[in-house]
Amino acid sequence: MKKFNFSALIAVAILGFSFSTFAQNKEVDVVKYINSITSNELKTHLTIVASDNMEGRETGSEGQKRAGRYLIEQYQKEGIPFPKGATSYYQKVPAEFMNKDSGENLPDSENIWAFIEGSEKPNEIVVVSAHYDHVGVKKGEVYNGADDDGSGTVALLEIAQAFQKAKKEGHGPKRSILILHVTGEEHGLYGSSYYSKNPLFPIANTVADVNIDMVGRRDELHKDSNNYIYLIGSDYLSTDLYKICEDVNSKYVHLNLDYKFNDRKDPNRFYYRSDHYNFAKYGIPVVFLFNGVHEDYHQATDEVSKIEFDALSKRTQLGFSIAWEIANREDRIVVDKDGK
Ligand SMILES: [Zn+2]
């Protein structure tokens, strides 16, 4: 008996040892976290965020604040806190800031933020942004902005959830993730402008911004397939960032990356028209994920029923994969170009 037990113990010890060695050497299964981003969950969130109840999410309106509270509830449910150094999930964007040059009469509004602290380099920040405001109610019609930018808004919820799931399982990001829902975009990128002038974390420690604005539809140029995304800005400041976008896409997501609008001289000027620009201005590498415009752009018909959730899901997965790689790679991505 004794001898038998002894060898059994050794066998158990060897087995245990080889299993733990295997676990340590095994690459973190990022695919599992990518796959936690699903069409169904995106649809559940978007059906609420872009419902009439949110009154088109006009900057500073009660409808926008209601949408904001829904976002915060999701972070609380997931156990995702507001950032270190903040006192709540809100960054107030004062009316004076938004109205000073524009002559508009907007009330105070709020950016909303959530935070997944990095395990190894917590002071290096990867921002993932999307605007949650839209244009409100006009002539009695609610402009639900399901694509613009309800799609990016719910993408952020799913990306945050995927990072948090990884963190709970011991695979949290090495660098910190700042989830940033910005306000006032439709009036002039005010929320991101305010953040970049009043950053919670030093600009010098801000590694990149992955900005997601309109990722649930297709444009005229892609009538035959929604399996694409326009990437804009990824190679303007950092060759590393461009390569990361290409690599994670070919490894995990397999969208057609379209660089048609990756051109500062393009007459549409998309590079200057969403929130990433307020980070790029300060020399922070950015990538903008965008599906292009369509007939419902800034119309009351930008509705949830027209969202293609298979496309929204893959584009959200791409945004997550890019942020994951930036946050987890050994070296911080290098700024090796002047952005011009
Ligand atoms: Zn937008």
Side-chain angles (χ1 to χ4, degrees):
M1 282 291 284
K2 213 169 184 178
K3 198 176 176 188
F4 178 77
N5 268 347
F6 186 59
S7 18
L9 263 176
I10 289 175
V12 166
I14 289 171
L15 260 172
F17 174 75
S18 51
F19 271 119
S20 70
T21 309
F22 177 69
Q24 276 164 18
N25 292 342
K26 191 169 161 273
E27 209 184 306
V28 174
D29 190 8
V30 59
V31 173
K32 175 174 157 188
Y33 304 116
I34 291 172
N35 289 338
S36 77
I37 293 168
T38 65
S39 298
N40 272 345
E41 291 178 11
L42 289 160
K43 190 170 188 176
T44 300
H45 292 312
L46 191 58
T47 301
I48 294 166
V49 167
S51 66
D52 286 354
N53 189 34
M54 304 309 180
E55 299 165 5
R57 305 187 303 280
E58 166 68 312
T59 296
S61 69
E62 188 45 46
Q64 188 200 24
K65 290 181 198 301
R66 199 173 295 131
R69 287 193 294 271
Y70 177 78
L71 301 176
I72 291 170
E73 280 163 24
Q74 305 318 303
Y75 294 119
Q76 288 171 331
K77 253 186 226 170
E78 294 294 331
I80 301 170
F82 54 78
K84 275 202 166 162
T87 52
S88 76
Y89 286 96
Y90 294 111
Q91 179 184 42
K92 181 180 165 185
V93 180
E96 311 83 73
F97 177 84
M98 295 189 281
N99 298 330
K100 66 177 183 324
D101 299 322
S102 64
E104 291 193 87
N105 194 22
L106 294 167
D108 288 343
S109 183
E110 299 83 25
N111 292 332
I112 289 175
W113 47 28
F115 192 64
I116 294 126
E117 189 172 32
S119 57
E120 289 179 22
K121 298 178 178 182
N123 297 326
E124 293 187 16
I125 309 295
V126 180
V127 178
V128 186
S129 59
H131 72 90
Y132 75 109
D133 65 298
H134 193 50
V135 299
V137 181
K138 295 180 187 177
K139 295 182 182 162
E141 276 195 291
V142 182
Y143 284 57
N144 285 315
D147 193 29
D148 187 9
D149 186 21
S151 61
T153 300
V154 300
L156 260 52
L157 291 177
E158 285 290 282
I159 289 170
Q161 187 190 45
F163 274 116
Q164 181 70 356
K165 180 176 164 62
K167 185 171 176 137
K168 275 188 194 152
E169 295 175 1
H171 305 303
K174 292 178 185 167
R175 296 180 178 81
S176 295
I177 306 291
L178 176 66
I179 300 285
L180 192 60
H181 297 272
V182 288
T183 186
E185 194 268 358
E186 302 286 10
H187 288 270
L189 317 186
Y190 293 141
S192 53
S193 172
Y194 187 78
Y195 179 86
S196 67
K197 288 174 179 147
N198 304 273
L200 185 60
F201 304 99
I203 290 292
N205 295 355
T206 305
V207 174
D209 172 43
V210 179
N211 186 48
I212 306 178
D213 190 356
M214 298 175 63
V215 289
R217 297 282 299 268
R218 69 177 87 182
D219 70 357
E220 278 282 295
L221 299 169
H222 298 85
K223 276 182 183 156
D224 298 333
S225 169
N226 64 23
N227 194 47
Y228 76 97
I229 191 72
Y230 294 113
L231 292 188
I232 301 175
S234 67
D235 63 344
Y236 288 179
L237 280 150
S238 170
T239 308
D240 286 340
L241 180 56
Y242 168 79
K243 282 191 191 144
I244 286 172
C245 296
E246 284 283 326
D247 290 351
V248 297
N249 180 61
S250 58
K251 212 164 158 187
Y252 305 121
V253 191
H254 316 295
L255 284 162
N256 294 314
L257 302 184
D258 193 325
Y259 292 100
K260 179 181 169 55
F261 297 122
N262 189 45
D263 175 0
R264 276 153 289 203
K265 295 199 184 81
D266 183 89
N268 294 292
R269 293 177 55 82
F270 290 129
Y271 176 60
Y272 303 95
R273 285 173 53 188
S274 187
D275 298 293
H276 54 276
Y277 184 64
N278 282 318
F279 291 90
K281 251 181 5 193
Y282 291 98
I284 298 166
V286 303
V287 57
F288 172 28
L289 280 68
F290 175 53
N291 55 217
V293 294
H294 45 75
E295 67 275 16
D296 299 309
Y297 173 67
H298 278 223
Q299 303 297 320
T301 46
D302 180 0
E303 295 279 7
V304 176
S305 57
K306 295 186 175 175
I307 294 293
E308 301 189 64
F309 284 96
D310 55 341
L312 174 53
S313 168
K314 286 188 79 169
R315 293 154 177 175
T316 303
Q317 291 176 340
L318 178 64
F320 170 73
S321 308
I322 294 168
W324 174 278
E325 181 60 28
I326 299 169
N328 282 309
R329 76 206 295 268
E330 196 53 38
D331 297 318
R332 176 174 173 165
I333 61 170
V334 174
V335 177
D336 59 345
K337 295 166 92 176
D338 64 4
K340 289 181 183 129

